[in-house]
Amino acid sequence: MNNNTYNGFLNIYKESGWTSMDVCAKLRRILHMKKIGHAGTLDPMAEGVLPVALGRATKDVDRIGDGVKTYRAGMLLGVETDTEDITGQTLKTFAGKCWPSEEEIREAVMSFLGDYEQLTPMYSARKVDGKKLYQYAREGKEVERKTKKVQILDIRIEEIEAPHVRFTVSCTKGTYIRTLCKDIGEKLGCGACMESLERTKVGDFTVDTAKKIAEIEDMAEAGSIDSLLTVKAPTAVSIGKFDGTHMGHQALMRELRKTAQEHRLKTLVLILKFGQTGILTDEERKQKFYDLGIDYCIELPFTKDMMNMSAEDFLEKILIGRYNMKAIVAGDDVTFGYGKRGNAEFLRANADKYGIIVDLIEKVRIDLSKAPENSVVSVLAESKIKAARDEGKNETDADTAAEEPTDTQVISSTLLRKEIEKGDMLHVTRLLGAPYAITGTVVHGRHLGTDRLQIPTMNIPVPQELILPPKGAYAVQAYVADSKGVFDMEHPMHGMANLGSRPTVEGSDERQVVLETHLFDESGDFYGKKVRVELCFFIRPEEKFESLEALRRHLKEKDIPAVEAFFAL
C-alpha cells in the first residue's frame, strides 16, 4: 500500500447498517492505502455525511470534527429503549395514553434550543476508566457518568403526526441526537426514542456532494478520486501542468516551501491535467513532488466546466474554497480561469480582497551547452559532450552538442518534451536534474535474451501515458527496489537497454512498447520486482535485423562495446 497515493478529505455518504470504521475499512481496500480516518462517528443505523481523511489529512481531522453538524431526525413517541434508538431493546412503552398536543410537542422540542446538559448514553464510544461505555452496556452494567454541556444551535420541526415527529437540528460537537429524542420524550411525559437519522452537514461538507462507497469505487477505477479531495489545513499553493517536474518546477517548489514555512502553511501542488500523456506517470509525478517535500499533491482534470469557469470563481471556489489557499506561489506567466484572465495582474489586484499572499517568480533559464549538475551522470555527460566535440565519435551527437546556443533558454515542459523526442538524453538530464527514467515491474517474456541471444534481459512493460524518447538502444543505469519499494540510489547498475517493439522477433506487436534491459555483471532473479531504469545516452535507433543471430552479433560487437565505452569516459 502507498500512503502517498491520496492526501485530503473525501465527503462520504455513510449508508445504514455500516459503522464509521466499516467505511474506513472499505476505503482502505478500494484505495489501496492504510492511513485513513473519519471525522465524527455516525451510529450504524444512521446515514449521511461522514468526512473521511486520507493520508496526511488525518492530522487535520479535528479541524472538521469540531465544526457544526446538522441532522434530519425522526422521533418516535411512546417508546423508550436501552440504546435510545429504535434498534435497542424496549424498556418501556406508553401505549393507550393520549399523545401530547401538537402545541405541547413543539414547546418541548424548542425548549432544548441553546445550551443544555446532556447525559452521555451507555451505548456510546466514550470511555470511563479506560473502557468504552458500550462495552459496559453489553455486559449488563451501568456506570456512573457525567453530563456534558452541548449546544443546540437551531431546531426546525418539519412534521408532527403523533407518534411520529420529524425535525432538523444543528448542534455542536458531541451532541447525541438519540439522547435529545429521549430527553424530549421525558419532558413530554410519554417517553421517546430516535427512529431515523440522517446527517446532512458537517462544517462545509454537505449531503448534496457526498458520495456513496459504490461511487467511490467507480471513481477509483476511473482514476478520478483526486477531483473529490479537499484540504482543510491552510495552504500555500502552486498551480500548473507540471508534467515533467523539471529544474524550473523544482526551483518553484523551493520557493513554495520557503513561503509556506514563513507563514506557517502547508504546501499544496495543484496539477491541472490537460491530457493523457506526460513525462512521468500520475503516480510517479505525485511521488516526485512528495520527494521534494510537498505536503499535498492533487491532480485536477481540466474539464469543460473548469474551462468555462471565471478567474474569480476558480480563485474563490477551487483555490480558496476547496483547498483553503492562503498564499499562491507561481511563475510570473501563471494563468487560470476563462480566457486565462487569472494572471499575475489579476492575482496582485485581488490579493488584499481575498487576504492571500501572492509570490510570483521569474522562469528559470538554462544553457544546454553545460553539463548536468548534481546528477549521477554529470561527469559522464560532460565527458561525452567534450568527446563529441573534439573527436566526432558520434556524428549526430557531435552536431547537436556543437550547437552553441546564443542565449539561455527558459526551462519549460515544451522544451523538455522536445529534447526527449529528439533522444538527446544528456540535455534531458540537464533539464530534469536527473536522467529520464522508466519504472515498472519485471515480467516474463519469451526468454529469447537468455535462451537464444545469450544476453539475459529484464522486461518492463512501458506505460502508455509516457512521452517516450526514440525507440532504440540506450546506455542505462538501473536500480532494483527492496521489499518496501525503496530504491538504493547510491548503487546504480550499468547496462544496455532496448526501448521498442522488438521488430526482429517474429510475432511482435509494434504497438506494444517494452523496455528490455541487460545489466552488466548482474545475474540476479528480478522477476516480479520493481525496477527503475534511467536512460542516460541514446546509442542507436531500433532496427529490424535479418535474424536473431544477426541481432546477437550486433549487440555483442557494437552496442555493448558502445555502452561500455560511454560508461568508461
Side-chain angles (χ1 to χ4, degrees):
M1 292 187 180
N2 184 358
N3 281 327
N4 281 336
T5 304
Y6 302 110
N7 292 285
F9 278 91
L10 285 177
N11 185 8
I12 300 298
Y13 189 93
K14 190 193 86 67
E15 298 169 73
S16 180
W18 295 352
T19 67
S20 299
M21 291 307 296
D22 286 341
V23 171
C24 291
K26 290 174 185 293
L27 288 173
R28 290 188 186 99
R29 175 185 60 79
I30 293 168
L31 303 179
H32 307 292
M33 56 187 301
K34 292 180 180 178
K35 206 171 182 182
I36 295 179
H38 64 80
T41 301
L42 272 177
D43 291 338
M45 73 165 286
E47 298 181 318
V49 173
L50 180 69
V52 175
L54 310 180
R56 299 177 183 194
T58 53
K59 296 179 180 179
D60 298 320
V61 164
D62 288 344
R63 297 177 187 271
I64 309 302
D66 291 339
V68 173
K69 299 176 176 66
T70 301
Y71 298 87
R72 188 179 295 122
M75 178 172 64
L76 177 64
L77 301 177
V79 177
E80 290 183 356
T81 70
D82 57 354
T83 60
E84 302 178 0
D85 63 35
I86 202 168
T87 67
Q89 295 293 319
T90 300
L91 301 177
K92 189 183 297 184
T93 61
F94 295 78
K97 292 188 176 182
C98 293
W99 300 120
S101 68
E102 183 172 321
E103 183 179 347
E104 290 173 322
I105 293 173
R106 286 185 180 277
E107 183 179 348
V109 171
M110 298 307 295
S111 71
F112 285 87
L113 192 61
D115 295 342
Y116 97 96
E117 294 290 332
Q118 189 178 74
L119 182 64
T120 302
M122 279 300 300
Y123 280 91
S124 70
R126 287 184 185 167
K127 290 184 178 181
V128 172
D129 296 331
K131 191 173 180 178
K132 293 178 180 178
L133 284 172
Y134 70 76
Q135 293 174 315
Y136 289 110
R138 288 171 181 172
E139 294 171 359
K141 301 176 182 177
E142 182 161 349
V143 298
E144 184 178 353
R145 62 247 192 235
K146 298 179 180 178
T147 61
K148 179 181 178 181
K149 181 181 286 187
V150 297
Q151 188 176 28
I152 306 301
L153 303 170
D154 182 53
I155 300 181
R156 297 190 308 276
I157 299 174
E158 311 289 349
E159 181 184 13
I160 298 176
E161 191 175 335
H164 305 286
V165 180
R166 303 268 184 269
F167 61 90
T168 297
V169 56
S170 294
C171 55
T172 55
K173 176 184 178 181
T175 304
Y176 287 89
I177 306 303
R178 49 195 164 98
T179 301
L180 173 63
C181 291
K182 171 181 173 292
D183 292 344
I184 292 171
E186 287 182 354
K187 187 157 193 173
L188 287 167
C190 64
C193 68
M194 186 179 74
E195 65 175 344
S196 66
L197 186 68
E198 181 187 36
R199 186 156 65 189
T200 59
K201 189 174 182 181
V202 178
D204 57 2
F205 292 91
T206 58
V207 70
D208 57 308
T209 59
K211 301 291 183 183
K212 294 183 177 181
I213 288 295
E215 294 176 283
I216 295 294
E217 194 159 18
D218 290 342
M219 294 188 75
E221 194 171 319
S224 54
I225 290 294
D226 271 18
S227 64
L228 302 176
L229 296 177
T230 59
V231 176
K232 297 306 170 184
T235 60
V237 175
S238 192
I239 177 175
K241 290 186 287 187
F242 298 118
D243 62 349
T245 61
H246 51 60
M247 294 294 283
H249 295 149
Q250 293 171 40
L252 186 61
M253 293 306 103
R254 289 192 291 272
E255 185 68 20
L256 179 64
R257 293 198 308 271
K258 177 183 174 184
T259 298
Q261 187 174 17
E262 288 175 355
H263 299 281
R264 303 175 71 86
L265 305 171
K266 296 293 185 180
T267 52
L268 186 151
V269 170
L270 182 60
I271 301 169
L272 296 181
K273 193 171 180 183
F274 286 82
Q276 298 300 316
T277 60
I279 293 153
L280 300 169
T281 65
D282 292 346
E283 182 180 350
E284 289 171 340
R285 179 167 48 249
K286 279 188 178 182
Q287 187 58 55
K288 179 69 173 180
F289 280 116
Y290 291 131
D291 290 342
L292 291 171
I294 300 305
D295 297 307
Y296 292 91
C297 183
I298 293 176
E299 289 186 341
L300 202 58
F302 194 71
T303 62
K304 186 175 181 179
D305 287 343
M306 190 180 298
M307 187 187 310
N308 294 323
M309 186 179 291
S310 68
E312 291 82 1
D313 280 351
F314 189 87
L315 178 59
E316 290 180 8
K317 296 178 180 179
I318 303 296
L319 296 178
I320 295 174
R322 191 181 294 183
Y323 304 121
N324 199 13
M325 185 185 79
K326 305 298 182 184
I328 183 168
V329 181
D332 53 14
D333 63 346
V334 62
T335 59
F336 57 85
Y338 182 76
K340 298 183 178 180
R341 292 174 185 168
N343 52 24
E345 183 180 352
F346 170 84
L347 287 170
R348 293 191 181 104
N350 286 280
D352 291 340
K353 175 183 176 181
Y354 292 101
I356 58 174
I357 299 158
V358 177
D359 183 6
L360 303 177
I361 68 173
E362 293 183 359
K363 289 286 188 179
V364 177
R365 304 185 72 88
I366 191 169
D367 181 351
L368 286 178
S369 67
K370 293 182 179 180
E373 297 173 358
N374 301 322
S375 164
V376 292
V377 295
S378 58
V379 177
L380 298 175
E382 184 175 20
S383 300
K384 191 62 184 175
I385 290 171
K386 183 177 185 303
R389 286 176 180 160
D390 298 345
E391 303 176 25
K393 288 185 177 178
N394 184 313
E395 185 176 344
T396 301
D397 187 57
D399 291 340
T400 302
E403 293 174 0
E404 294 285 355
T406 58
D407 195 5
T408 57
Q409 302 178 64
V410 170
I411 299 179
S412 67
S413 296
T414 300
L415 176 61
L416 178 57
R417 286 175 180 239
K418 176 183 174 183
E419 296 302 317
I420 289 174
E421 289 167 355
K422 281 167 52 180
D424 197 329
M425 307 315 290
L426 300 182
H427 284 179
V428 171
T429 296
R430 174 66 169 149
L431 292 169
L432 287 174
Y436 173 99
I438 295 175
T439 302
T441 301
V442 179
V443 299
H444 286 276
R446 300 185 188 183
H447 300 278
L448 295 176
T450 302
D451 300 339
R452 299 284 299 278
L453 301 176
Q454 289 86 53
I455 303 175
T457 60
M458 300 184 300
N459 295 348
I460 301 173
V462 177
Q464 293 183 349
E465 65 264 35
L466 286 185
I467 294 170
L468 298 175
K471 293 180 179 180
Y474 289 83
V476 301
Q477 294 184 147
Y479 307 85
V480 178
D482 61 19
S483 59
K484 296 181 179 180
V486 178
F487 296 107
D488 180 5
M489 301 303 291
E490 299 297 321
H491 299 94
M493 297 177 287
H494 292 166
M496 177 194 70
N498 183 78
L499 175 67
S501 53
R502 301 172 289 185
T504 307
V505 178
E506 184 178 350
S508 294
D509 185 351
E510 64 178 12
R511 296 169 298 180
Q512 184 177 3
V513 180
V514 176
L515 183 65
E516 299 174 293
T517 303
H518 170 64
L519 297 177
F520 303 154
D521 304 320
E522 297 290 339
S523 58
D525 181 1
F526 300 114
Y527 290 118
K529 293 185 178 180
K530 189 176 180 181
V531 175
R532 172 186 171 91
V533 181
E534 296 178 340
L535 280 58
C536 302
F537 192 73
F538 184 48
I539 301 298
R540 63 162 176 83
E542 185 176 55
E543 58 183 292
K544 183 175 182 178
F545 292 89
E546 62 183 20
S547 65
L548 288 176
E549 177 57 29
L551 171 60
R552 188 188 71 81
R553 285 199 304 270
H554 190 93
L555 293 173
K556 291 280 191 180
E557 297 172 6
K558 294 187 177 182
D559 290 348
I560 291 177
V563 172
E564 291 174 336
F566 172 81
F567 283 115
L569 287 174

